[in-house]
Amino acid sequence: MQAKAGKQAASLKLIDQAKILLKNYHDYVSVIGKLAEAYAYAGNLEEGSRWFKLLKENHKDSLPFMLTDVALGYATAKKYEMAFQLVKQHPDSSELGKTIHSVGMLLLSRGDIERALELHSIPDEKWWQDDLLFELVKWSIKQQQPEKALKYAGQFDPDSTRLRVQSLLKIAELHQTLNQPLEAEKLSQQAHELIEAARNDHKLFAELQTDWAADQLRHKNVKAAQGSLQAALKAARQINYTKSFSGDFYHPLQDIFRGQVQAGDIPGAKETLSFALEVLPQMKKAHGGFPVYISNLKPDIVACYVEIGDLKSALKITNAEKYNDSCFSKIGETLGRKGDFTTALEWCQQSVPDAMKANVLISIARGAINAGKCDCDDPFQRIWDHAPWAI
């Protein structure tokens, strides 16, 4: 934190003190990684390199997970060559794309487009570059440079159809803003053609339909958006959920649900959530029955029911779960985020088991604070004043 605030001398002093306190744990991977990261943020090339070398020699399997933090530390300290060197030295890292994106975002936030482009050109494989390339598209749009944005959009890996479609739609919107309707229509048509070409890839087609729907909503075409989201759900129903794929568990279902809520299609949103629950067992098979993975998802679905005002369904799902602490907490957090603090407290008193009430109340307050929608100045004081049953 000191280094991020530009106080590198103070930072180095604290790191040295921490190193002494941790002297009996210098062979622990977490300690090695954190010291390498801390010295990187402090801009100390010698010590940073030494600890990163130890990590590389003794904990090679953990290296990919530390690469982003260390490279971002050097970039934050404006030791760009060292950050770029780490990217060049680890072309096979599973975290390379994340590292490039994180450092690239920092560079763009500083307006350093030249270094961002240099970073983008480092990896040989194009798909490592795509996340940063998409940020370059958005950066060009922000600068109102549609030609440059279109140039970047043409450099995506052939398999990055979704990023290409999203880019075309964003650039088309910029053309509309610049009063260039013909150019906007041309790009929208290109995006539509890419979407139609993906019909046989059910997951991709569903994702692209949600992107198209989002674009329609931006243009106030609610009916068209609802139609696209129904097409997305139809495609999502044809996905083989017993096969593992990258991304969130019920993605694209989550995107479909969000779009339906935004488009005012609550019956459609409930249909999507019902299907999400239906395919959970298939997903469990796809991920080797990993229970934590599945248990983290059902609370998300419960929260979605609360979001659309269907507390009854949320409670029904929650009460059917043997281990439902996280479901109750999710309901509380969502109610807090919606800003209905009175309803949240009443629900907690009436429906939450006594042993869980304290954690759920904290979740309600957390949701209210994070959303800034609480109907009071101090959520925790509100609990103290109006929920004596929780004390």
Side-chain angles (χ1 to χ4, degrees), residues 345-365:
L345 288 175
E346 290 176 355
W347 161 77
C348 185
Q349 182 179 12
Q350 296 170 8
S351 303
V352 178
D354 289 344
M356 300 181 192
K357 277 184 167 65
N359 283 337
V360 171
L361 285 169
I362 291 171
S363 297
I364 292 170

Side-chain angles (χ1 to χ4, degrees), residues 2-198:
Q2 292 277 21
K4 288 178 183 178
K7 301 176 181 179
Q8 293 188 338
S11 172
L12 284 170
K13 185 177 180 180
L14 289 171
I15 296 169
D16 287 339
Q17 290 175 3
K19 190 167 61 173
I20 293 170
L21 291 171
L22 295 167
K23 63 182 179 181
N24 294 327
Y25 305 97
H26 284 185
D27 57 340
Y28 282 41
V29 60
S30 57
V31 173
I32 295 173
K34 278 298 176 184
L35 284 170
E37 179 187 355
Y39 277 119
Y41 272 101
N44 190 316
L45 297 178
E46 183 179 349
E47 283 295 305
S49 297
R50 184 169 78 84
W51 286 99
F52 194 78
K53 184 180 178 182
L54 276 175
L55 182 68
K56 193 172 182 178
E57 290 174 349
N58 301 326
H59 302 280
K60 193 173 182 180
D61 291 344
S62 299
L63 182 65
F65 305 105
M66 305 288 186
L67 181 62
T68 300
D69 293 337
V70 177
L72 188 58
Y74 283 121
T76 300
K78 297 185 179 181
K79 304 293 183 181
Y80 299 119
E81 289 305 316
M82 190 62 183
F84 287 11
Q85 186 178 328
L86 289 176
V87 172
K88 292 174 183 176
Q89 290 176 348
H90 303 90
D92 300 323
S93 170
S94 59
E95 296 290 296
L96 186 62
K98 180 182 176 182
T99 303
I100 291 172
H101 181 259
S102 298
V103 175
M105 284 292 289
L106 175 67
L107 292 169
L108 289 175
S109 71
R110 292 175 174 175
D112 196 340
I113 186 68
E114 290 186 11
R115 281 199 176 92
L117 289 170
E118 181 185 348
L119 175 65
H120 167 257
S121 68
I122 290 175
D124 293 328
E125 298 289 343
K126 284 186 75 173
W127 60 280
W128 285 124
Q129 308 168 349
D130 283 350
D131 284 343
L132 177 55
L133 198 58
F134 188 48
E135 297 300 336
L136 288 166
V137 170
K138 291 190 287 185
W139 185 86
S140 300
I141 290 171
K142 191 175 181 180
Q143 304 299 314
Q144 295 199 332
Q145 299 174 337
E147 294 82 9
K148 188 170 285 187
L150 194 57
K151 174 188 171 185
Y152 294 136
Q155 297 176 34
F156 286 117
D157 183 85
D159 292 331
S160 297
T161 304
R162 191 175 190 191
L163 289 178
R164 186 175 291 107
V165 167
Q166 290 177 341
S167 296
L168 290 172
L169 293 175
K170 287 180 181 295
I171 300 168
E173 189 174 356
L174 174 60
H175 278 300
Q176 287 284 10
T177 302
L178 298 175
N179 198 25
Q180 299 168 340
L182 293 178
E183 288 86 348
E185 178 60 30
K186 180 182 176 181
L187 293 180
S188 292
Q189 183 60 33
Q190 288 180 24
H192 184 69
E193 289 170 1
L194 286 170
I195 294 171
E196 287 300 313

Side-chain angles (χ1 to χ4, degrees), residues 245-263:
F245 51 77
S246 61
D248 294 333
F249 166 74
Y250 61 117
H251 183 76
L253 295 176
Q254 188 176 39
D255 285 348
I256 295 171
F257 168 80
R258 299 290 178 206
Q260 287 167 325
V261 171
Q262 191 178 354

